[in-house]
Amino acid sequence: MGEQARARRSDAVRNRGRILTAARHLVTERGPQVSMSEIAGHAGVAVGTLYQHFPTKADLVSAVVAEQAGELVDAVVQAWERVRDDHAEPAAELLAFVERVLEAAAVDRAVKAAARSLGAEPEFSDAEARGAAALGHLIDAGRAAGTLRHDLAVSDLYLLVATCPTDQPPEVRRRWLTLVRPGLLRQ
Amino acid sequence: MGEQARARRSDAVRNRGRILTAARHLVTERGPQVSMSEIAGHAGVAVGTLYQHFPTKADLVSAVVAEQAGELVDAVVQAWERVRDDHAEPAAELLAFVERVLEAAAVDRAVKAAARSLGAEPEFSDAEARGAAALGHLIDAGRAAGTLRHDLAVSDLYLLVATCPTDQPPEVRRRWLTLVRPGLLRQ
DNA sequence: TACTATCTTGAACCAAGGTTCAGGTTATTG
DNA sequence: CAATAACCTGAACCTTGGTTCAAGATAGTA
């Protein structure tokens, strides 16, 4: 029982970090179709090391997603707190958030597709539930203030995010946001 | 010189038709990731026969896309003619066209993605060029009339069509159109 | 330093899917 | 019917990319 497991070796910790960093960068800018070998190359380790830290490619990609999803949840929650506590403008906060999602969605979307095709289903975590609640509050505030479309719903946001052009270059994504923006605001 | 090429054999003609039909059905409902073997199976021929009629997979998919694209081109051209000749409202025609594309894309699923992912680049055919021209005229007319967004471009339409939620149920697709519409019209 | 559990390496394995081609079949012509 | 060009077949080839594992290297410890 009292078995004291020896601490993880320092090189293992370092390599895990390098792998995650390389995976995040590559998946972000080139999509989920990057090969494990390429990630290994950028991380400066051998393929085998990837599999020591992440049993399968889906696990590695999931780890990247988790990071990204966490940041987004934090972003909405903070946006809602600025509105609730500091009387920030809900519409502006919402648009800023959507823009941020658009950036991150390049990772998130690709990953979702990858996860689906690999059979790894996303389970709704606590954090994600908190994010959804904050988003709901933000929208309600904007509708009440009359700056957001009167019938805007959380599902509309999901719909737009799900259809944003994640695999296009930044200027295309920005243009898309410009086109979509009027539909979110009061007509 | 006077060489009279023997006419194509009847079984070749029949098989080509079967292959195209099978490809259209499979690509339409399961996306571009269907394998050549599977298409061959549904067409009741061997893989080799596919390659006899279409040098590469990209060529086969392109042929399917071309069919579908032709119908859409006809639709825009007619819309533009209604505006030019019958003084129809450009914005209304444009929105109707987008709605039609949305329908077609729903049935058609990933044909467009197929073309892109296979690098089968739109070697802009005559028909497609005519369609693009008609679309351009339609947009110009709407901008001139002041009913469409002042800086709307043909590329914006491509962007929106490329990102519409084709795999969602009709009510979701309608909602998406509702959300996007204001971005197309004059602010 | 010597020892060993932990970690790393990278060649090799395997499955999937696009593509080829030598050989067999068949439509067409005279 | 004979002759042949056109066509079809499908096993095998090849590349790509995920995954494994036996052998070697190394961090931590006494």
Side-chain angles (χ1 to χ4, degrees):
Chain A
M1 270 280 142
E3 312 268 307
Q4 180 75 323
R6 186 185 275 189
R8 302 177 59 213
R9 263 168 55 171
S10 59
D11 55 347
V13 175
R14 176 165 27 87
N15 282 336
R16 191 174 210 280
R18 284 180 180 170
I19 291 169
L20 272 175
T21 300
R24 183 173 56 241
H25 286 155
L26 288 174
V27 170
T28 293
E29 64 193 36
R30 303 243 310 279
Q33 70 276 20
V34 289
S35 68
M36 290 296 261
S37 310
E38 196 160 5
I39 296 176
H42 275 248
V45 301
V47 237
T49 306
L50 262 64
Y51 287 91
Q52 163 120 348
H53 292 280
F54 304 94
T56 116
K57 183 177 182 178
D59 290 313
L60 173 53
V61 174
S62 292
V64 173
V65 173
E67 278 187 353
Q68 224 72 14
E71 292 177 16
L72 290 183
V73 167
D74 288 348
V76 222
V77 169
Q78 285 168 24
W80 164 234
E81 288 173 351
R82 275 192 295 275
V83 169
R84 186 191 55 194
D85 304 336
D86 309 344
H87 305 286
E89 221 303 294
E93 292 290 336
L94 183 67
L95 285 174
F97 173 66
V98 170
E99 194 164 354
R100 171 149 187 182
V101 171
L102 199 50
E103 302 285 303
V107 181
D108 227 319
R109 171 77 178 285
V111 160
K112 206 163 292 178
R116 191 173 353 223
S117 77
L118 290 172
E121 261 310 305
E123 69 285 353
F124 233 45
S125 68
D126 290 3
E128 278 158 346
R130 273 182 27 242
L135 187 55
H137 290 142
L138 203 51
I139 291 178
D140 287 343
R143 291 171 58 185
T147 47
L148 285 181
R149 171 186 265 268
H150 71 283
D151 63 348
L152 194 64
V154 176
S155 61
D156 291 334
L157 265 291
Y158 286 140
L159 176 56
L160 288 181
V161 168
T163 59
C164 67
T166 53
D167 50 354
Q168 296 294 313
E171 64 271 18
V172 173
R173 299 204 305 265
R174 267 195 295 277
R175 178 62 179 169
W176 179 86
L177 192 55
T178 302
L179 289 173
V180 163
R181 180 178 292 119
L184 297 177
L185 302 178
R186 183 183 180 79
Q187 307 308 298
Chain B
M1 268 281 145
E3 313 267 309
Q4 181 75 323
R6 187 183 277 189
R8 302 178 60 213
R9 264 169 54 170
S10 58
D11 55 347
V13 175
R14 176 165 26 87
N15 282 336
R16 190 173 211 280
R18 284 180 181 170
I19 290 168
L20 272 175
T21 301
R24 183 173 55 242
H25 285 155
L26 287 174
V27 171
T28 292
E29 62 195 35
R30 303 243 311 279
Q33 70 275 23
V34 290
S35 69
M36 290 296 262
S37 310
E38 197 160 4
I39 295 176
H42 275 247
V45 301
V47 237
T49 306
L50 262 63
Y51 287 90
Q52 164 125 347
H53 292 279
F54 304 94
T56 117
K57 182 176 183 179
D59 290 313
L60 174 51
V61 174
S62 292
V64 172
V65 173
E67 280 186 351
Q68 225 70 16
E71 295 178 15
L72 291 182
V73 166
D74 289 347
V76 222
V77 169
Q78 285 168 24
W80 164 234
E81 287 173 351
R82 275 192 296 276
V83 168
R84 185 191 55 193
D85 303 336
D86 309 345
H87 304 287
E89 220 303 295
E93 291 290 335
L94 183 66
L95 286 174
F97 172 66
V98 170
E99 196 165 351
R100 167 151 189 181
V101 172
L102 200 49
E103 301 285 301
V107 180
D108 223 318
R109 205 156 153 97
V111 178
K112 202 164 304 175
R116 191 175 352 224
S117 77
L118 288 173
E121 259 313 302
E123 68 283 342
F124 251 30
S125 70
D126 289 3
E128 278 158 344
R130 271 182 29 243
L135 190 54
H137 290 141
L138 205 49
I139 290 177
D140 287 343
R143 291 171 58 185
T147 48
L148 286 181
R149 169 187 266 268
H150 72 282
D151 63 347
L152 195 64
V154 175
S155 60
D156 292 334
L157 266 292
Y158 287 141
L159 177 55
L160 287 180
V161 167
T163 60
C164 67
T166 54
D167 50 355
Q168 296 294 313
E171 65 270 19
V172 174
R173 299 203 306 266
R174 268 194 295 276
R175 178 62 179 170
W176 179 85
L177 194 54
T178 303
L179 288 173
V180 163
R181 182 178 291 120
L184 296 177
L185 302 178
R186 183 184 181 77
Q187 308 307 299

Coordinates of all heavy atoms in Angstrom, one line a residue, chain B residues 9 15 45-46 48-49 53, chain D residues 5-11:
Chain B
R9 N -18.1 1.6 -78.0 CA -18.9 0.4 -77.8 C -20.0 0.7 -76.9 O -19.9 1.5 -76.0 CB -18.0 -0.7 -77.3 CG -17.5 -1.6 -78.4 CD -16.4 -2.5 -77.9 NE -16.8 -3.3 -76.7 CZ -16.0 -4.3 -76.2 NH1 -14.9 -4.6 -76.8 NH2 -16.4 -4.9 -75.2
N15 N -21.7 1.6 -69.2 CA -20.9 1.6 -68.0 C -20.6 3.0 -67.5 O -20.6 3.3 -66.3 CB -19.6 0.8 -68.1 CG -19.9 -0.7 -68.1 OD1 -20.9 -1.1 -67.5 ND2 -19.0 -1.5 -68.7
V45 N -19.2 -2.6 -61.7 CA -18.1 -2.8 -62.6 C -16.8 -2.9 -61.8 O -16.9 -2.8 -60.5 CB -17.9 -1.6 -63.6 CG1 -19.1 -1.4 -64.4 CG2 -17.6 -0.3 -62.8
A46 N -15.7 -3.2 -62.4 CA -14.5 -3.3 -61.7 C -13.8 -2.0 -61.5 O -14.1 -1.1 -62.3 CB -13.5 -4.3 -62.3
G48 N -10.9 -1.0 -62.3 CA -10.2 -0.6 -63.5 C -11.0 0.2 -64.5 O -10.6 1.1 -65.2
T49 N -12.3 -0.2 -64.6 CA -13.2 0.4 -65.5 C -13.4 1.9 -65.2 O -13.6 2.7 -66.0 CB -14.6 -0.3 -65.5 OG1 -14.3 -1.7 -65.8 CG2 -15.5 0.2 -66.6
H53 N -12.6 5.3 -67.7 CA -13.4 6.4 -68.1 C -13.0 7.7 -67.4 O -13.2 8.8 -68.0 CB -14.9 6.1 -67.7 CG -15.5 5.0 -68.5 ND1 -16.0 5.2 -69.7 CD2 -15.7 3.7 -68.2 CE1 -16.5 4.1 -70.2 NE2 -16.3 3.2 -69.3
Chain D
dA5 P -6.5 -4.2 -84.6 OP1 -6.1 -4.1 -86.0 OP2 -5.6 -4.7 -83.5 O5' -7.2 -2.9 -84.1 C5' -8.4 -2.4 -84.8 C4' -9.5 -2.1 -83.7 O4' -10.0 -3.3 -83.1 C3' -9.0 -1.2 -82.6 O3' -9.9 -0.2 -82.4 C2' -8.9 -2.2 -81.4 C1' -10.0 -3.2 -81.7 N9 -9.8 -4.5 -81.1 C8 -8.6 -5.2 -81.1 N7 -8.7 -6.4 -80.5 C5 -10.0 -6.5 -80.2 C6 -10.8 -7.5 -79.6 N6 -10.3 -8.7 -79.2 N1 -12.1 -7.2 -79.4 C2 -12.6 -6.1 -79.8 N3 -12.0 -5.0 -80.4 C4 -10.7 -5.3 -80.5
dA6 P -9.6 1.0 -81.4 OP1 -10.1 2.3 -82.1 OP2 -8.3 0.9 -80.8 O5' -10.7 0.7 -80.2 C5' -12.0 0.5 -80.6 C4' -12.7 -0.2 -79.4 O4' -12.3 -1.5 -79.1 C3' -12.5 0.6 -78.1 O3' -13.8 1.0 -77.6 C2' -11.8 -0.4 -77.2 C1' -12.2 -1.7 -77.8 N9 -11.2 -2.8 -77.6 C8 -9.9 -2.8 -77.9 N7 -9.2 -3.9 -77.7 C5 -10.2 -4.7 -77.1 C6 -10.1 -6.0 -76.6 N6 -9.0 -6.8 -76.7 N1 -11.3 -6.6 -76.2 C2 -12.4 -5.8 -76.2 N3 -12.5 -4.6 -76.6 C4 -11.4 -4.1 -77.1
dC7 P -13.9 1.8 -76.2 OP1 -15.2 2.5 -76.3 OP2 -12.6 2.5 -76.0 O5' -14.0 0.6 -75.1 C5' -15.0 -0.3 -75.3 C4' -14.9 -1.4 -74.2 O4' -13.7 -2.2 -74.6 C3' -14.7 -0.9 -72.8 O3' -15.8 -1.2 -72.1 C2' -13.4 -1.7 -72.3 C1' -13.3 -2.8 -73.4 N1 -11.9 -3.2 -73.6 C2 -11.5 -4.5 -73.2 O2 -12.4 -5.3 -72.8 N3 -10.2 -5.0 -73.4 C4 -9.3 -4.1 -73.9 N4 -8.1 -4.6 -74.1 C5 -9.7 -2.8 -74.3 C6 -10.9 -2.4 -74.1
dC8 P -15.9 -0.9 -70.5 OP1 -17.3 -0.7 -70.1 OP2 -14.9 0.1 -70.2 O5' -15.3 -2.3 -69.9 C5' -16.1 -3.5 -70.1 C4' -15.5 -4.6 -69.4 O4' -14.2 -4.9 -69.9 C3' -15.4 -4.3 -67.9 O3' -16.0 -5.4 -67.2 C2' -13.9 -4.2 -67.6 C1' -13.3 -5.0 -68.8 N1 -12.0 -4.6 -69.2 C2 -10.9 -5.4 -69.2 O2 -11.0 -6.5 -68.7 N3 -9.7 -5.0 -69.7 C4 -9.6 -3.7 -70.1 N4 -8.4 -3.3 -70.6 C5 -10.7 -2.8 -70.2 C6 -11.9 -3.3 -69.7
dT9 P -16.2 -5.3 -65.5 OP1 -17.4 -6.1 -65.2 OP2 -16.0 -4.0 -65.1 O5' -14.9 -6.2 -65.1 C5' -14.7 -7.5 -65.7 C4' -13.4 -8.1 -65.1 O4' -12.3 -7.6 -65.8 C3' -13.2 -7.9 -63.6 O3' -13.2 -9.1 -62.9 C2' -11.9 -7.1 -63.5 C1' -11.2 -7.4 -64.8 N1 -10.4 -6.4 -65.4 C2 -9.0 -6.6 -65.7 O2 -8.5 -7.7 -65.5 N3 -8.3 -5.6 -66.2 C4 -8.8 -4.3 -66.4 O4 -8.1 -3.4 -66.9 C5 -10.2 -4.1 -66.1 C7 -10.8 -2.7 -66.3 C6 -10.9 -5.1 -65.6
dG10 P -13.8 -9.2 -61.4 OP1 -14.4 -10.6 -61.3 OP2 -14.5 -8.0 -61.1 O5' -12.4 -9.2 -60.6 C5' -11.4 -10.2 -61.0 C4' -10.0 -9.8 -60.4 O4' -9.5 -8.7 -61.2 C3' -10.1 -9.2 -59.0 O3' -8.9 -9.7 -58.3 C2' -10.1 -7.7 -59.2 C1' -9.1 -7.6 -60.3 N9 -9.2 -6.4 -61.0 C8 -10.2 -5.4 -61.0 N7 -10.0 -4.4 -61.7 C5 -8.7 -4.6 -62.3 C6 -7.9 -3.8 -63.2 O6 -8.2 -2.7 -63.7 N1 -6.7 -4.5 -63.5 C2 -6.3 -5.7 -63.0 N2 -5.1 -6.1 -63.4 N3 -7.1 -6.4 -62.2 C4 -8.2 -5.8 -61.9
dA11 P -9.0 -10.6 -57.1 OP1 -9.9 -11.8 -57.4 OP2 -9.3 -9.8 -55.9 O5' -7.5 -11.2 -57.0 C5' -6.9 -11.7 -58.1 C4' -5.6 -11.2 -58.3 O4' -5.7 -9.8 -58.9 C3' -4.7 -11.0 -57.1 O3' -3.4 -11.3 -57.4 C2' -4.9 -9.5 -56.8 C1' -4.9 -8.9 -58.1 N9 -5.7 -7.6 -58.2 C8 -6.9 -7.3 -57.6 N7 -7.3 -6.1 -57.9 C5 -6.3 -5.6 -58.7 C6 -6.2 -4.3 -59.4 N6 -7.1 -3.4 -59.3 N1 -5.1 -4.1 -60.1 C2 -4.2 -5.1 -60.2 N3 -4.2 -6.4 -59.7 C4 -5.3 -6.5 -59.0

